[in-house]
Amino acid sequence: MDNNLEQITFGGGCFWCVESCFNMLKGVQSAVSGYSGGHKDNPTYEEVCTGETGHAEVVQITFDPKIISYAQLMDVFFFLHDPTQLNRQGNDIGTQYRSVIYYKDEAEKAKAEEALKKSEESGKWPGKYVTEVTQFEKFWPAEQYHQGYYNENPTQPYCSTVVGPKIQKFKKHFGELGMLNEA
């Protein structure tokens, strides 16, 4: 990895829309769907969906901090999901859909906790946040068919009814802020 790039890993529900949105941001080199926080090596999507592996669906983002900051990525993260829902996002229910930020060191933990506090105090999401701030251990990339899933399957029923509207809301908001790559 380029020494000027950094990585962040977090889960905000189904990784299909989270990954798609982060890949549209200026300064993001890649957003990869995968799994973290569990106890099984090389988990499969089917195994993670049982809730028995302990993994969360996550996105690992590689970004250039000279173009997009950690704080901006956190703003996007809290925009894309409801951090007050324990082990779910809408109709997606299970521990694999938990809200979680994985940190690599104490400095990153402090930044994550500050971003969480700032977002909670903003009142954007009414209620108590349940987002976990957890030590990063391992990232397992999801199967290839999950990478860019929304872009490849926009008419799939879940994508057209759940992911698509979320992406449109994201594009409108962050497009107005000038944070999106040119199409």
Side-chain angles (χ1 to χ4, degrees), residues 45-171:
Y45 180 68
E46 290 74 21
E47 291 169 331
V48 171
C49 284
T50 68
E52 295 176 14
T53 68
H55 292 88
E57 286 193 15
V58 299
V59 175
Q60 186 167 76
I61 299 160
T62 302
F63 66 100
D64 184 340
K66 292 183 184 98
I67 299 171
I68 189 166
S69 70
Y70 184 93
Q72 288 173 309
L73 291 169
M74 285 287 107
D75 288 345
V76 172
F77 171 68
F78 287 116
F79 180 89
L80 290 175
H81 81 291
D82 182 344
T84 69
Q85 293 187 348
L86 183 61
N87 297 328
R88 73 178 298 159
Q89 284 298 302
N91 291 328
D92 294 331
I93 300 170
T95 57
Q96 68 271 28
Y97 301 114
R98 66 188 177 270
S99 176
V100 58
I101 303 166
Y102 291 99
Y103 64 88
K104 294 186 176 75
D105 56 35
E106 289 303 310
E108 198 171 82
K109 179 182 180 183
K111 288 194 291 188
E113 289 172 340
E114 179 60 32
L116 183 109
K117 180 181 174 193
K118 178 182 170 195
S119 182
E120 190 168 24
E121 289 174 350
S122 77
K124 178 188 183 321
W125 298 101
K128 177 88 173 109
Y129 279 33
V130 294
T131 303
E132 298 174 11
V133 178
T134 303
Q135 175 74 48
F136 176 83
E137 291 181 15
K138 181 75 177 163
F139 172 78
W140 302 100
E143 296 82 351
Q144 188 57 41
Y145 74 92
H146 287 295
Q147 310 306 329
Y149 189 87
Y150 175 78
N151 293 341
E152 298 296 321
N153 303 280
T155 60
Q156 187 263 12
Y158 182 86
C159 288
S160 64
T161 60
V162 176
V163 181
K166 189 180 281 195
I167 289 175
Q168 291 310 309
K169 183 178 169 186
F170 163 83
K171 286 168 83 172

